[in-house]
Amino acid sequence: MILCDVVFWGALTAALGLDATLLLTLAKPGLTIWPPPGRDTWQYRLTWALFGIGAVGFLVVGGLDAGSFGLAQWMGKSGTLIVGSALFAFGTALASYAMGYLGRQGALGLEASLVTGGPYAVSRNPGYLGDLILVAGYTVLSDSRLAGIVGAVAAVWFVLAPFAEEPWVEEHYGDAYRRYKERCPRFFG
């Protein structure tokens, strides 16, 4: 159980660190951590190091702590398998499609062209929406209380990230982005 605790605290610390970077960006607009100002910056390295540690830790702790949440008692083992797998697969597919459509530069938070087609025609943030769904799916699938905690903290980042990005996007793309923002919801609707 020591390994599980180490992985949990590492993943939780990384997720909290990511949330803190967004809160700092939102509280002090002159200090932009996300989106990073470039690939060779401390902001880029910090964000992606925390993201990697958090994502791997989330998946590993879910496996090490599987069954601790008690969802299987309520949904049955087949229920957690079916619902969790469906959500995880759909969320992964949506996030992957959105990031692929956005392109590598944009998916990494770096400057790219404004994308308003494909999944971005119905949501300004389909990748983050997919990430939220896959986090929920993996939490149900693993039935892990600790993965649920890390996932909930990570979900804060996926919800807050658009608020940190929008001023940057509006500054870079001006009226084209403002028109897009008027016709397309932040997440869905």
Side-chain angles (χ1 to χ4, degrees), residues 17-18 21 33 41-52:
L18 280 171
T21 64
I33 299 172
T41 63
W42 67 268
Q43 295 96 322
Y44 178 89
R45 290 182 187 102
L46 174 65
T47 299
W48 288 109
L50 291 172
F51 186 85

Side-chain angles (χ1 to χ4, degrees), residues 29-106:
L31 174 65
T32 301
I33 299 172
W34 184 260
R39 189 180 198 105
D40 294 324
T41 63
W42 67 268
Q43 295 96 322
Y44 178 89
R45 290 182 187 102
L46 174 65
T47 299
W48 288 109
L50 291 172
F51 186 85
I53 292 165
V56 170
F58 171 66
L59 295 172
V60 171
V61 82
L64 294 173
D65 185 53
S68 68
F69 206 4
L71 293 174
Q73 294 173 351
W74 177 65
M75 300 172 70
K77 286 191 186 247
S78 60
T80 58
L81 179 65
I82 293 166
V83 172
S85 295
L87 288 171
F88 186 73
F90 177 72
T92 301
L94 177 58
S96 298
Y97 176 54
M99 295 300 103
Y101 206 88
L102 190 58
R104 184 172 186 210
Q105 288 288 104

